Amino acid sequence: YPSENHKRQFWGNFSWTTPVGTVTYIPAFHTYYTNGQQLIGSVIHQDNLEGFDQIHTEELRISSLPESPVSWVAGAMYYSNALTNSTITHWIYSGALTFDQELHKRTQDDGAFADVIVPLPDDWKLTGGVRFDHTYITTDESYTANDATAVGNPYSSTWFLPEVLDTSTLSGSAGQRTYDNFTFRARVEKQITPQNLAYAIVSTGFLPGDVALSKTAAGPVAIPYDQEKLTAYEIGSKNRFFNNLLQFNADAYYYNYTGFQQTVNTSGNPQNPSFATLSSPARMIGGEAELMIRPTAADRITIAYGYINAYFVNQSAQFLEYQEQTRIPGIAPNTLSTTVEHSIELPNGSSILLRDQVRFKNGYDMAGVTESEAYARPYVHVGDTVIDDFSAPGMPPTANTASPATSTISPIRNIWPALRLKRPAAATLKLR
């Protein structure tokens, strides 16, 4: 079906050096507009009318000068999101309404933050950061559902007819939510040798709660959900050996969620779904290990393994009504990848990088299902998967490079200082 989409984004980054520190100002403005139609499965036609999503951010910060013995940064940030959407769905063969939703939502966040890195004796280093956020959400929504009982065949002209329409609205104080959050992070690290680093981190994060209309057995009702708050603990080590020919990184973590959000189908009918986001306490325990070997200047082998046990705890009666699994959907317990890279130098100074990556992922459920939908469990479960990606891009000659190998595969000593800390995709951390 025809659709129309427009996206615009503008941003800037302005910096001034002062005797006190470096001042940085970053404004950004993003808009997205859509107007079109789509087919859901083979039985539902959906119109997305005048969908508008606008995001505006401002950040102003001041940071220490490079020569400062103590590194620090402090600043403020403004975030605003205006969202408008109109969605209408019909059964194709009968023309019966499935649902009609009109949504106007605005989210605003005002934040202030500060961060400091203090070097200590004997190659110890301490990092501390704090942040305060005031979040304000307003929702104006109208939702009309067809509560008719489905009889016959979904491909018949009488499916969900005659219509039994039920409309609910959400506006005013019922659609307003305000949240104040104080988050922090603390990190201590020890440079044991120039090639070995150990660290420990504790940090907190949040995702604001909300309220939205959703279809239930009692008709469309406003379903609130709590904030998602996280306290994360992590210990790890970064190591290089044999003159940078081998690197080994490992970490273990424990995530404590006071509320982990899960989207579920509250209608109990997969053919006529109604989605809501619920929240439950959850835990995540896991670890990662990564081994990088550089046998020659033109070759690199990387082996990475990750394990995570992600599960709900202390579910409420409402959550248990709509969520049948105890494990958090969308997260594979075990992942393993092996990557082999080889650079081939060509006579003209260019090169070809041969790269093959094999990734294994344990089976997992993609989405949550209700107890009444337990029969649908096989349809949301993905079994063990193995994916092999092979690429051979050509690299043009690079000036001031000793050999093509150094321009196509970053030496371990060049990627070491970044100290990138991996985190599971499920973790939502709003940290600076």
Side-chain angles (χ1 to χ4, degrees):
Y1 292 100
S3 63
E4 182 180 4
N5 302 279
H6 300 274
K7 183 187 292 185
R8 299 288 184 271
Q9 184 165 312
F10 306 91
W11 70 94
N13 191 318
F14 306 92
S15 232
W16 300 269
T17 300
T18 73
V20 179
T22 302
V23 178
T24 303
Y25 171 60
I26 306 175
F29 189 79
H30 167 93
T31 61
Y32 177 77
Y33 171 82
T34 181
N35 193 347
Q37 308 168 51
Q38 67 184 40
L39 189 66
I40 302 176
S42 61
V43 292
I44 296 179
H45 179 269
Q46 178 169 305
D47 289 292
N48 302 309
L49 306 176
E50 298 181 356
F52 182 74
D53 190 355
Q54 177 179 290
I55 298 174
H56 174 210
T57 63
E58 305 274 348
E59 181 173 343
L60 180 65
R61 64 175 185 258
I62 181 170
S63 58
S64 58
L65 297 173
E67 62 271 16
S68 175
V70 175
S71 299
W72 54 266
V73 61
M77 184 174 181
Y78 167 81
Y79 169 91
S80 174
N81 175 222
L83 178 67
T84 300
N85 187 52
S86 175
T87 304
I88 304 174
T89 65
H90 292 87
W91 288 96
I92 293 176
Y93 295 93
S94 66
L97 178 74
T98 303
F99 73 88
D100 182 350
Q101 182 185 38
E102 300 281 343
L103 174 65
H104 301 271
K105 180 184 286 289
R106 182 176 181 85
T107 303
Q108 180 176 317
D109 184 276
D110 302 308
F113 56 87
D115 195 271
V116 63
I117 302 175
V118 182
L120 301 175
D122 299 326
D123 293 321
W124 286 86
K125 186 182 293 184
L126 181 64
T127 301
V130 294
R131 175 165 175 160
F132 176 78
D133 286 87
H134 174 77
T135 308
Y136 180 72
I137 301 172
T138 59
T139 302
D140 190 346
E141 184 178 9
S142 172
Y143 191 104
T144 299
N146 182 2
D147 294 337
T149 302
V151 178
N153 190 314
Y155 303 97
S156 71
S157 59
T158 59
W159 186 251
F160 271 96
L161 287 176
E163 295 178 342
V164 180
L165 302 184
D166 189 357
T167 300
S168 292
T169 60
L170 179 65
S171 61
S173 59
Q176 296 177 356
R177 294 293 185 273
T178 302
Y179 305 95
D180 290 325
N181 284 282
F182 175 82
T183 52
F184 70 90
R185 70 166 178 151
R187 170 187 167 114
V188 60
E189 63 183 66
K190 165 68 172 176
Q191 194 77 47
I192 302 171
T193 74
Q195 291 79 32
N196 304 99
L197 173 74
Y199 66 89
I201 303 173
V202 58
S203 56
T204 58
F206 77 97
L207 191 64
D210 207 345
V211 60
L213 290 173
S214 184
K215 181 181 177 183
T216 67
V221 298
I223 296 182
Y225 57 94
D226 297 329
Q227 291 198 92
E228 179 176 323
K229 291 189 175 183
L230 168 66
T231 301
Y233 305 88
E234 180 177 345
I235 59 173
S237 178
K238 309 281 186 176
N239 306 275
R240 293 174 292 161
F241 303 97
F242 310 118
N243 195 27
N244 299 335
L245 296 181
L246 183 147
Q247 179 170 328
F248 178 74
N249 305 325
D251 69 80
Y253 56 86
Y254 172 72
Y255 288 171
N256 183 345
Y257 284 88
T258 59
F260 185 89
Q261 295 174 13
Q262 176 67 35
T263 300
V264 295
N265 178 10
T266 62
S267 72
N269 182 356
Q271 293 179 324
N272 187 21
S274 179
F275 295 102
T277 302
L278 303 179
S279 178
S280 171
R283 305 290 184 266
M284 294 184 186
I285 303 173
E288 299 167 318
E290 182 180 53
L291 177 66
M292 289 182 285
I293 306 171
R294 196 174 180 86
T296 72
D299 298 277
R300 185 165 68 185
I301 301 170
T302 303
I303 302 172
Y305 169 73
Y307 167 78
I308 180 171
N309 181 18
Y311 55 96
F312 296 111
V313 296
N314 304 325
Q315 299 102 313
S316 66
Q318 182 191 37
F319 192 89
L320 288 172
E321 179 183 358
Y322 295 124
Q323 173 66 55
E324 188 265 341
Q325 299 104 313
T326 57
R327 288 188 58 85
I328 298 176
I331 302 176
N334 293 279
T335 57
L336 177 66
S337 69
T338 301
T339 305
V340 179
E341 297 170 300
H342 176 70
S343 178
I344 301 176
E345 183 179 355
L346 301 179
N348 63 351
S350 59
S351 62
I352 296 177
L353 177 63
L354 304 179
R355 185 178 190 274
D356 188 73
Q357 182 184 57
V358 179
R359 291 174 290 161
F360 166 80
K361 183 181 291 187
N362 252 161
Y364 63 97
D365 290 347
M366 293 186 299
V369 295
T370 65
E371 186 175 353
S372 63
E373 294 177 322
Y375 67 90
R377 186 82 174 267
Y379 298 97
V380 300
H381 184 77
V382 178
D384 295 348
T385 59
V386 177
I387 300 175
D388 189 354
D389 293 328
F390 176 79
S391 61
M395 304 293 179
T398 303
N400 302 322
T401 301
S403 68
T406 58
S407 64
T408 56
I409 303 178
S410 300
I412 290 177
R413 61 180 178 273
N414 286 346
I415 64 173
W416 165 259
L419 293 179
R420 292 186 293 271
L421 304 180
K422 296 182 179 178
R423 298 192 184 278
T428 302
L429 291 175
K430 289 194 175 182
L431 304 174
R432 181 154 303 278

